Amino acid sequence: MATIINGKDVAASVIDQIKSSTLALEASDGIKPGLAVVLVGADPASQAYVGSKSKMAKECGFKSAQYSLPENTTQEALMTLVAGLNADPSIHGILVQLPLPKHLNSEAVIQLILPEKDVDGLHVVNAGKLATGDSETGLISCTPAGSLILVRTIRGDDLSGLNAVVIGRSNLFGKPMGQLLLSKNATVTMAHSRSKDLPGICSKADILVAAVGRPEMVKADWVKPGATVIDVGINRVPAPEKGEGKTKLVGDCDYAACEPVAGAITPVPGGVGPMTIAMLMANTVIAAYRKAGKKAPSF
Ligand code: NAP
């Protein structure tokens, strides 16, 4: 039986630390961390994500500003809003919810955000700092940062001698996750859609991280006995057993089959998901401390 890595509990302890860091900064410097969340359009999933981010920001004691723009917003209007938030001293973190509607150039918007306010960790300066091992001044993409904390709960902070495999090589998750694992001394393999013998590659992993977006792709015989399995995938699939037309969320791993083989595994939902939002708050409090010229808390 694997240890079930409870992302909700780990995220709750990160949030506790954020709340106390926020109170301390307000008491010492009169500064409240400020998070601006920008949503364009009416995609229901994006609306739900943005709503929970703004709610959590308030719960952490932040100044929370939400900007909901119509679907037909122009590139110029969005860039003007971001430039204004860059210039606003009460805002320490800016998050533009992705994906943006197709007529907008996301990359231009992301690269306009000041790197020190880029709490999603997607600016090339932050990606570069992670790649070159600067963990003191950069901001790290939230889902990989949260996934690494989950790995740490099982494997500790030093992954020397361990093989880690990351399936997926996106800028949002796979690449930064590989770099984080490498920074903790794991021997890292990055696998993707062109990799040969994916089951064979995965079966050598002491730490297996799946971020593909394919429901239950990773099977039990891909998992090394005792491995730590971090399932990043969020896939909505039909669930006729719950009733006609019902759906459920599953990960990229076949959880029921992998769990008896793994040493530890994250469930979906309740694993990586809660960590993403917690790390967004963590990045905002880190940005506020740095702006105040203080040593930022580490998570
Ligand atoms: P993405 O940009 O679509 O990247 C998917 C990656 O998977 C690509 O690198 C792709 O390889 C690889 N891939 C696709 N099919 C494959 C196959 N058959 N075998 C091996 N590799 C394959 O997705 P993403 O943004 O990284 O997200 C991945 C998953 O994580 C999604 O389910 C997403 O919903 C989830 N996610 C969850 C959270 C959270 O908060 N829990 C946050 C972010 C993402 P190529 O590069 O060769 O095409």
Side-chain angles (χ1 to χ4, degrees), residues 50-82:
V50 162
S52 50
K53 286 167 184 171
S54 297
K55 190 169 157 238
M56 182 61 89
K58 281 188 200 129
E59 210 179 303
C60 288
F62 296 177
K63 172 187 165 173
S64 167
Q66 189 177 316
Y67 297 85
S68 297
L69 306 180
E71 180 83 26
N72 63 358
T73 297
T74 62
Q75 184 80 25
E76 198 192 348
L78 182 56
M79 301 286 271
T80 303
L81 172 63
V82 170

PDB file of all heavy atoms in Angstrom, residues 50-82:
ATOM      1  N   VAL A  50      -9.960  31.588 -11.469  1.00  0.00           N
ATOM      2  CA  VAL A  50      -9.706  32.979 -11.068  1.00  0.00           C
ATOM      3  C   VAL A  50     -10.449  33.304  -9.771  1.00  0.00           C
ATOM      4  O   VAL A  50      -9.904  33.931  -8.861  1.00  0.00           O
ATOM      5  CB  VAL A  50     -10.112  33.932 -12.223  1.00  0.00           C
ATOM      6  CG1 VAL A  50     -10.286  35.358 -11.750  1.00  0.00           C
ATOM      7  CG2 VAL A  50      -9.069  33.859 -13.329  1.00  0.00           C
ATOM      8  N   GLY A  51     -11.704  32.819  -9.686  1.00  0.00           N
ATOM      9  CA  GLY A  51     -12.490  33.057  -8.470  1.00  0.00           C
ATOM     10  C   GLY A  51     -11.803  32.468  -7.255  1.00  0.00           C
ATOM     11  O   GLY A  51     -11.681  33.120  -6.208  1.00  0.00           O
ATOM     12  N   SER A  52     -11.278  31.234  -7.393  1.00  0.00           N
ATOM     13  CA  SER A  52     -10.669  30.621  -6.202  1.00  0.00           C
ATOM     14  C   SER A  52      -9.318  31.269  -5.873  1.00  0.00           C
ATOM     15  O   SER A  52      -8.947  31.358  -4.705  1.00  0.00           O
ATOM     16  CB  SER A  52     -10.574  29.097  -6.318  1.00  0.00           C
ATOM     17  OG  SER A  52      -9.990  28.755  -7.517  1.00  0.00           O
ATOM     18  N   LYS A  53      -8.614  31.783  -6.873  1.00  0.00           N
ATOM     19  CA  LYS A  53      -7.345  32.479  -6.608  1.00  0.00           C
ATOM     20  C   LYS A  53      -7.616  33.786  -5.844  1.00  0.00           C
ATOM     21  O   LYS A  53      -6.935  34.095  -4.861  1.00  0.00           O
ATOM     22  CB  LYS A  53      -6.601  32.761  -7.922  1.00  0.00           C
ATOM     23  CG  LYS A  53      -5.969  31.507  -8.502  1.00  0.00           C
ATOM     24  CD  LYS A  53      -5.509  31.681  -9.936  1.00  0.00           C
ATOM     25  CE  LYS A  53      -4.983  30.354 -10.485  1.00  0.00           C
ATOM     26  NZ  LYS A  53      -4.702  30.383 -11.920  1.00  0.00           N
ATOM     27  N   SER A  54      -8.626  34.547  -6.298  1.00  0.00           N
ATOM     28  CA  SER A  54      -8.939  35.819  -5.634  1.00  0.00           C
ATOM     29  C   SER A  54      -9.414  35.563  -4.204  1.00  0.00           C
ATOM     30  O   SER A  54      -9.046  36.286  -3.273  1.00  0.00           O
ATOM     31  CB  SER A  54     -10.026  36.570  -6.405  1.00  0.00           C
ATOM     32  OG  SER A  54      -9.549  36.884  -7.685  1.00  0.00           O
ATOM     33  N   LYS A  55     -10.214  34.509  -4.033  1.00  0.00           N
ATOM     34  CA  LYS A  55     -10.735  34.178  -2.693  1.00  0.00           C
ATOM     35  C   LYS A  55      -9.592  33.808  -1.748  1.00  0.00           C
ATOM     36  O   LYS A  55      -9.514  34.263  -0.611  1.00  0.00           O
ATOM     37  CB  LYS A  55     -11.718  33.010  -2.848  1.00  0.00           C
ATOM     38  CG  LYS A  55     -12.502  32.706  -1.608  1.00  0.00           C
ATOM     39  CD  LYS A  55     -13.640  31.735  -1.910  1.00  0.00           C
ATOM     40  CE  LYS A  55     -14.034  31.029  -0.634  1.00  0.00           C
ATOM     41  NZ  LYS A  55     -13.929  29.590  -0.691  1.00  0.00           N
ATOM     42  N   MET A  56      -8.684  32.980  -2.255  1.00  0.00           N
ATOM     43  CA  MET A  56      -7.549  32.551  -1.422  1.00  0.00           C
ATOM     44  C   MET A  56      -6.647  33.734  -1.075  1.00  0.00           C
ATOM     45  O   MET A  56      -6.129  33.824   0.042  1.00  0.00           O
ATOM     46  CB  MET A  56      -6.762  31.454  -2.144  1.00  0.00           C
ATOM     47  CG  MET A  56      -5.602  30.908  -1.359  1.00  0.00           C
ATOM     48  SD  MET A  56      -6.108  30.157   0.199  1.00  0.00           S
ATOM     49  CE  MET A  56      -6.425  28.477  -0.343  1.00  0.00           C
ATOM     50  N   ALA A  57      -6.485  34.670  -2.027  1.00  0.00           N
ATOM     51  CA  ALA A  57      -5.657  35.852  -1.757  1.00  0.00           C
ATOM     52  C   ALA A  57      -6.243  36.632  -0.581  1.00  0.00           C
ATOM     53  O   ALA A  57      -5.516  37.064   0.323  1.00  0.00           O
ATOM     54  CB  ALA A  57      -5.568  36.726  -3.002  1.00  0.00           C
ATOM     55  N   LYS A  58      -7.558  36.789  -0.571  1.00  0.00           N
ATOM     56  CA  LYS A  58      -8.215  37.522   0.541  1.00  0.00           C
ATOM     57  C   LYS A  58      -8.015  36.760   1.843  1.00  0.00           C
ATOM     58  O   LYS A  58      -7.708  37.348   2.883  1.00  0.00           O
ATOM     59  CB  LYS A  58      -9.706  37.675   0.256  1.00  0.00           C
ATOM     60  CG  LYS A  58      -9.980  38.802  -0.720  1.00  0.00           C
ATOM     61  CD  LYS A  58     -11.473  39.077  -0.863  1.00  0.00           C
ATOM     62  CE  LYS A  58     -11.723  39.826  -2.152  1.00  0.00           C
ATOM     63  NZ  LYS A  58     -12.743  39.260  -3.000  1.00  0.00           N
ATOM     64  N   GLU A  59      -8.171  35.432   1.766  1.00  0.00           N
ATOM     65  CA  GLU A  59      -8.022  34.606   2.976  1.00  0.00           C
ATOM     66  C   GLU A  59      -6.606  34.726   3.559  1.00  0.00           C
ATOM     67  O   GLU A  59      -6.409  34.640   4.767  1.00  0.00           O
ATOM     68  CB  GLU A  59      -8.285  33.154   2.569  1.00  0.00           C
ATOM     69  CG  GLU A  59      -8.877  32.309   3.671  1.00  0.00           C
ATOM     70  CD  GLU A  59      -9.131  30.900   3.151  1.00  0.00           C
ATOM     71  OE1 GLU A  59      -9.871  30.754   2.149  1.00  0.00           O
ATOM     72  OE2 GLU A  59      -8.549  29.953   3.729  1.00  0.00           O
ATOM     73  N   CYS A  60      -5.636  34.922   2.685  1.00  0.00           N
ATOM     74  CA  CYS A  60      -4.239  35.051   3.142  1.00  0.00           C
ATOM     75  C   CYS A  60      -3.949  36.440   3.718  1.00  0.00           C
ATOM     76  O   CYS A  60      -2.856  36.685   4.208  1.00  0.00           O
ATOM     77  CB  CYS A  60      -3.267  34.789   1.986  1.00  0.00           C
ATOM     78  SG  CYS A  60      -3.199  33.072   1.507  1.00  0.00           S
ATOM     79  N   GLY A  61      -4.925  37.363   3.589  1.00  0.00           N
ATOM     80  CA  GLY A  61      -4.719  38.718   4.101  1.00  0.00           C
ATOM     81  C   GLY A  61      -4.126  39.663   3.074  1.00  0.00           C
ATOM     82  O   GLY A  61      -3.637  40.736   3.418  1.00  0.00           O
ATOM     83  N   PHE A  62      -4.164  39.281   1.797  1.00  0.00           N
ATOM     84  CA  PHE A  62      -3.610  40.120   0.729  1.00  0.00           C
ATOM     85  C   PHE A  62      -4.619  41.181   0.301  1.00  0.00           C
ATOM     86  O   PHE A  62      -5.820  41.037   0.506  1.00  0.00           O
ATOM     87  CB  PHE A  62      -3.313  39.299  -0.545  1.00  0.00           C
ATOM     88  CG  PHE A  62      -2.268  38.233  -0.424  1.00  0.00           C
ATOM     89  CD1 PHE A  62      -1.987  37.418  -1.518  1.00  0.00           C
ATOM     90  CD2 PHE A  62      -1.552  38.019   0.749  1.00  0.00           C
ATOM     91  CE1 PHE A  62      -1.024  36.423  -1.448  1.00  0.00           C
ATOM     92  CE2 PHE A  62      -0.591  37.028   0.835  1.00  0.00           C
ATOM     93  CZ  PHE A  62      -0.330  36.222  -0.267  1.00  0.00           C
ATOM     94  N   LYS A  63      -4.101  42.188  -0.401  1.00  0.00           N
ATOM     95  CA  LYS A  63      -4.954  43.038  -1.220  1.00  0.00           C
ATOM     96  C   LYS A  63      -5.209  42.234  -2.494  1.00  0.00           C
ATOM     97  O   LYS A  63      -4.254  41.809  -3.161  1.00  0.00           O
ATOM     98  CB  LYS A  63      -4.242  44.355  -1.559  1.00  0.00           C
ATOM     99  CG  LYS A  63      -5.003  45.176  -2.567  1.00  0.00           C
ATOM    100  CD  LYS A  63      -4.232  46.385  -3.034  1.00  0.00           C
ATOM    101  CE  LYS A  63      -4.907  46.934  -4.293  1.00  0.00           C
ATOM    102  NZ  LYS A  63      -4.366  48.184  -4.751  1.00  0.00           N
ATOM    103  N   SER A  64      -6.472  41.981  -2.802  1.00  0.00           N
ATOM    104  CA  SER A  64      -6.781  41.153  -3.967  1.00  0.00           C
ATOM    105  C   SER A  64      -7.544  41.978  -4.988  1.00  0.00           C
ATOM    106  O   SER A  64      -8.579  42.572  -4.663  1.00  0.00           O
ATOM    107  CB  SER A  64      -7.621  39.955  -3.507  1.00  0.00           C
ATOM    108  OG  SER A  64      -8.188  39.305  -4.600  1.00  0.00           O
ATOM    109  N   ALA A  65      -7.036  42.049  -6.218  1.00  0.00           N
ATOM    110  CA  ALA A  65      -7.711  42.816  -7.269  1.00  0.00           C
ATOM    111  C   ALA A  65      -7.998  41.885  -8.437  1.00  0.00           C
ATOM    112  O   ALA A  65      -7.088  41.215  -8.934  1.00  0.00           O
ATOM    113  CB  ALA A  65      -6.811  43.961  -7.727  1.00  0.00           C
ATOM    114  N   GLN A  66      -9.259  41.812  -8.828  1.00  0.00           N
ATOM    115  CA  GLN A  66      -9.620  40.947  -9.959  1.00  0.00           C
ATOM    116  C   GLN A  66     -10.125  41.800 -11.121  1.00  0.00           C
ATOM    117  O   GLN A  66     -10.969  42.663 -10.930  1.00  0.00           O
ATOM    118  CB  GLN A  66     -10.693  39.950  -9.524  1.00  0.00           C
ATOM    119  CG  GLN A  66     -10.941  38.896 -10.589  1.00  0.00           C
ATOM    120  CD  GLN A  66     -11.967  37.856 -10.137  1.00  0.00           C
ATOM    121  OE1 GLN A  66     -11.932  37.368  -9.026  1.00  0.00           O
ATOM    122  NE2 GLN A  66     -12.880  37.525 -11.036  1.00  0.00           N
ATOM    123  N   TYR A  67      -9.582  41.562 -12.310  1.00  0.00           N
ATOM    124  CA  TYR A  67     -10.003  42.302 -13.508  1.00  0.00           C
ATOM    125  C   TYR A  67     -10.623  41.309 -14.481  1.00  0.00           C
ATOM    126  O   TYR A  67      -9.928  40.417 -14.964  1.00  0.00           O
ATOM    127  CB  TYR A  67      -8.805  42.990 -14.170  1.00  0.00           C
ATOM    128  CG  TYR A  67      -8.170  44.024 -13.256  1.00  0.00           C
ATOM    129  CD1 TYR A  67      -7.225  43.643 -12.309  1.00  0.00           C
ATOM    130  CD2 TYR A  67      -8.552  45.361 -13.317  1.00  0.00           C
ATOM    131  CE1 TYR A  67      -6.665  44.575 -11.435  1.00  0.00           C
ATOM    132  CE2 TYR A  67      -8.000  46.299 -12.455  1.00  0.00           C
ATOM    133  CZ  TYR A  67      -7.058  45.900 -11.521  1.00  0.00           C
ATOM    134  OH  TYR A  67      -6.519  46.821 -10.657  1.00  0.00           O
ATOM    135  N   SER A  68     -11.925  41.440 -14.718  1.00  0.00           N
ATOM    136  CA  SER A  68     -12.609  40.546 -15.658  1.00  0.00           C
ATOM    137  C   SER A  68     -12.921  41.338 -16.919  1.00  0.00           C
ATOM    138  O   SER A  68     -13.735  42.271 -16.884  1.00  0.00           O
ATOM    139  CB  SER A  68     -13.893  40.002 -15.031  1.00  0.00           C
ATOM    140  OG  SER A  68     -13.554  39.232 -13.900  1.00  0.00           O
ATOM    141  N   LEU A  69     -12.246  40.991 -17.999  1.00  0.00           N
ATOM    142  CA  LEU A  69     -12.389  41.741 -19.247  1.00  0.00           C
ATOM    143  C   LEU A  69     -13.222  40.923 -20.240  1.00  0.00           C
ATOM    144  O   LEU A  69     -13.192  39.687 -20.213  1.00  0.00           O
ATOM    145  CB  LEU A  69     -11.015  42.011 -19.864  1.00  0.00           C
ATOM    146  CG  LEU A  69      -9.982  42.689 -18.950  1.00  0.00           C
ATOM    147  CD1 LEU A  69      -8.669  42.891 -19.699  1.00  0.00           C
ATOM    148  CD2 LEU A  69     -10.490  44.028 -18.446  1.00  0.00           C
ATOM    149  N   PRO A  70     -13.955  41.619 -21.136  1.00  0.00           N
ATOM    150  CA  PRO A  70     -14.785  40.870 -22.096  1.00  0.00           C
ATOM    151  C   PRO A  70     -13.941  40.099 -23.111  1.00  0.00           C
ATOM    152  O   PRO A  70     -12.777  40.424 -23.353  1.00  0.00           O
ATOM    153  CB  PRO A  70     -15.594  41.983 -22.791  1.00  0.00           C
ATOM    154  CG  PRO A  70     -14.846  43.242 -22.542  1.00  0.00           C
ATOM    155  CD  PRO A  70     -14.066  43.071 -21.274  1.00  0.00           C
ATOM    156  N   GLU A  71     -14.571  39.089 -23.693  1.00  0.00           N
ATOM    157  CA  GLU A  71     -13.953  38.204 -24.689  1.00  0.00           C
ATOM    158  C   GLU A  71     -13.295  39.004 -25.829  1.00  0.00           C
ATOM    159  O   GLU A  71     -12.231  38.624 -26.323  1.00  0.00           O
ATOM    160  CB  GLU A  71     -15.078  37.305 -25.254  1.00  0.00           C
ATOM    161  CG  GLU A  71     -14.693  36.306 -26.292  1.00  0.00           C
ATOM    162  CD  GLU A  71     -14.114  35.023 -25.690  1.00  0.00           C
ATOM    163  OE1 GLU A  71     -14.453  34.707 -24.542  1.00  0.00           O
ATOM    164  OE2 GLU A  71     -13.321  34.369 -26.392  1.00  0.00           O
ATOM    165  N   ASN A  72     -13.935  40.128 -26.244  1.00  0.00           N
ATOM    166  CA  ASN A  72     -13.418  40.886 -27.409  1.00  0.00           C
ATOM    167  C   ASN A  72     -12.384  41.946 -27.026  1.00  0.00           C
ATOM    168  O   ASN A  72     -12.106  42.850 -27.806  1.00  0.00           O
ATOM    169  CB  ASN A  72     -14.584  41.520 -28.176  1.00  0.00           C
ATOM    170  CG  ASN A  72     -15.350  42.532 -27.325  1.00  0.00           C
ATOM    171  OD1 ASN A  72     -15.021  42.737 -26.144  1.00  0.00           O
ATOM    172  ND2 ASN A  72     -16.369  43.147 -27.902  1.00  0.00           N
ATOM    173  N   THR A  73     -11.776  41.812 -25.852  1.00  0.00           N
ATOM    174  CA  THR A  73     -10.736  42.757 -25.429  1.00  0.00           C
ATOM    175  C   THR A  73      -9.601  42.778 -26.452  1.00  0.00           C
ATOM    176  O   THR A  73      -9.200  41.719 -26.955  1.00  0.00           O
ATOM    177  CB  THR A  73     -10.186  42.320 -24.054  1.00  0.00           C
ATOM    178  OG1 THR A  73     -11.257  42.390 -23.124  1.00  0.00           O
ATOM    179  CG2 THR A  73      -9.040  43.187 -23.574  1.00  0.00           C
ATOM    180  N   THR A  74      -9.081  43.972 -26.737  1.00  0.00           N
ATOM    181  CA  THR A  74      -7.985  44.057 -27.716  1.00  0.00           C
ATOM    182  C   THR A  74      -6.645  43.821 -27.009  1.00  0.00           C
ATOM    183  O   THR A  74      -6.523  43.995 -25.793  1.00  0.00           O
ATOM    184  CB  THR A  74      -7.935  45.448 -28.381  1.00  0.00           C
ATOM    185  OG1 THR A  74      -7.682  46.413 -27.357  1.00  0.00           O
ATOM    186  CG2 THR A  74      -9.229  45.774 -29.096  1.00  0.00           C
ATOM    187  N   GLN A  75      -5.654  43.458 -27.814  1.00  0.00           N
ATOM    188  CA  GLN A  75      -4.290  43.280 -27.313  1.00  0.00           C
ATOM    189  C   GLN A  75      -3.818  44.560 -26.618  1.00  0.00           C
ATOM    190  O   GLN A  75      -3.238  44.521 -25.532  1.00  0.00           O
ATOM    191  CB  GLN A  75      -3.359  42.947 -28.496  1.00  0.00           C
ATOM    192  CG  GLN A  75      -1.932  42.634 -28.122  1.00  0.00           C
ATOM    193  CD  GLN A  75      -1.753  41.196 -27.604  1.00  0.00           C
ATOM    194  OE1 GLN A  75      -2.547  40.315 -27.945  1.00  0.00           O
ATOM    195  NE2 GLN A  75      -0.749  40.965 -26.797  1.00  0.00           N
ATOM    196  N   GLU A  76      -4.129  45.679 -27.246  1.00  0.00           N
ATOM    197  CA  GLU A  76      -3.678  46.962 -26.718  1.00  0.00           C
ATOM    198  C   GLU A  76      -4.285  47.239 -25.344  1.00  0.00           C
ATOM    199  O   GLU A  76      -3.583  47.659 -24.420  1.00  0.00           O
ATOM    200  CB  GLU A  76      -4.076  48.067 -27.712  1.00  0.00           C
ATOM    201  CG  GLU A  76      -3.307  49.338 -27.509  1.00  0.00           C
ATOM    202  CD  GLU A  76      -3.891  50.505 -28.294  1.00  0.00           C
ATOM    203  OE1 GLU A  76      -4.754  50.274 -29.164  1.00  0.00           O
ATOM    204  OE2 GLU A  76      -3.487  51.637 -27.994  1.00  0.00           O
ATOM    205  N   ALA A  77      -5.579  46.934 -25.196  1.00  0.00           N
ATOM    206  CA  ALA A  77      -6.250  47.197 -23.909  1.00  0.00           C
ATOM    207  C   ALA A  77      -5.648  46.309 -22.810  1.00  0.00           C
ATOM    208  O   ALA A  77      -5.420  46.759 -21.681  1.00  0.00           O
ATOM    209  CB  ALA A  77      -7.745  46.935 -24.049  1.00  0.00           C
ATOM    210  N   LEU A  78      -5.362  45.060 -23.174  1.00  0.00           N
ATOM    211  CA  LEU A  78      -4.800  44.142 -22.178  1.00  0.00           C
ATOM    212  C   LEU A  78      -3.377  44.562 -21.788  1.00  0.00           C
ATOM    213  O   LEU A  78      -3.010  44.557 -20.597  1.00  0.00           O
ATOM    214  CB  LEU A  78      -4.814  42.712 -22.760  1.00  0.00           C
ATOM    215  CG  LEU A  78      -4.324  41.590 -21.867  1.00  0.00           C
ATOM    216  CD1 LEU A  78      -5.089  41.546 -20.548  1.00  0.00           C
ATOM    217  CD2 LEU A  78      -4.467  40.235 -22.583  1.00  0.00           C
ATOM    218  N   MET A  79      -2.611  44.962 -22.785  1.00  0.00           N
ATOM    219  CA  MET A  79      -1.230  45.407 -22.520  1.00  0.00           C
ATOM    220  C   MET A  79      -1.249  46.681 -21.656  1.00  0.00           C
ATOM    221  O   MET A  79      -0.419  46.836 -20.765  1.00  0.00           O
ATOM    222  CB  MET A  79      -0.479  45.689 -23.835  1.00  0.00           C
ATOM    223  CG  MET A  79      -0.385  44.509 -24.790  1.00  0.00           C
ATOM    224  SD  MET A  79       0.765  43.206 -24.318  1.00  0.00           S
ATOM    225  CE  MET A  79       2.277  43.741 -25.061  1.00  0.00           C
ATOM    226  N   THR A  80      -2.203  47.555 -21.909  1.00  0.00           N
ATOM    227  CA  THR A  80      -2.304  48.797 -21.127  1.00  0.00           C
ATOM    228  C   THR A  80      -2.639  48.468 -19.669  1.00  0.00           C
ATOM    229  O   THR A  80      -2.061  49.053 -18.738  1.00  0.00           O
ATOM    230  CB  THR A  80      -3.402  49.719 -21.733  1.00  0.00           C
ATOM    231  OG1 THR A  80      -3.046  49.958 -23.093  1.00  0.00           O
ATOM    232  CG2 THR A  80      -3.507  51.033 -20.992  1.00  0.00           C
ATOM    233  N   LEU A  81      -3.540  47.501 -19.469  1.00  0.00           N
ATOM    234  CA  LEU A  81      -3.889  47.108 -18.094  1.00  0.00           C
ATOM    235  C   LEU A  81      -2.654  46.549 -17.380  1.00  0.00           C
ATOM    236  O   LEU A  81      -2.339  46.930 -16.244  1.00  0.00           O
ATOM    237  CB  LEU A  81      -5.019  46.064 -18.111  1.00  0.00           C
ATOM    238  CG  LEU A  81      -5.346  45.433 -16.754  1.00  0.00           C
ATOM    239  CD1 LEU A  81      -5.844  46.472 -15.753  1.00  0.00           C
ATOM    240  CD2 LEU A  81      -6.393  44.314 -16.894  1.00  0.00           C
ATOM    241  N   VAL A  82      -1.935  45.643 -18.050  1.00  0.00           N
ATOM    242  CA  VAL A  82      -0.744  45.025 -17.430  1.00  0.00           C
ATOM    243  C   VAL A  82       0.314  46.090 -17.126  1.00  0.00           C
ATOM    244  O   VAL A  82       0.917  46.091 -16.046  1.00  0.00           O
ATOM    245  CB  VAL A  82      -0.185  43.887 -18.321  1.00  0.00           C
ATOM    246  CG1 VAL A  82       1.168  43.407 -17.820  1.00  0.00           C
ATOM    247  CG2 VAL A  82      -1.171  42.725 -18.376  1.00  0.00           C
TER     248      VAL A  82
END
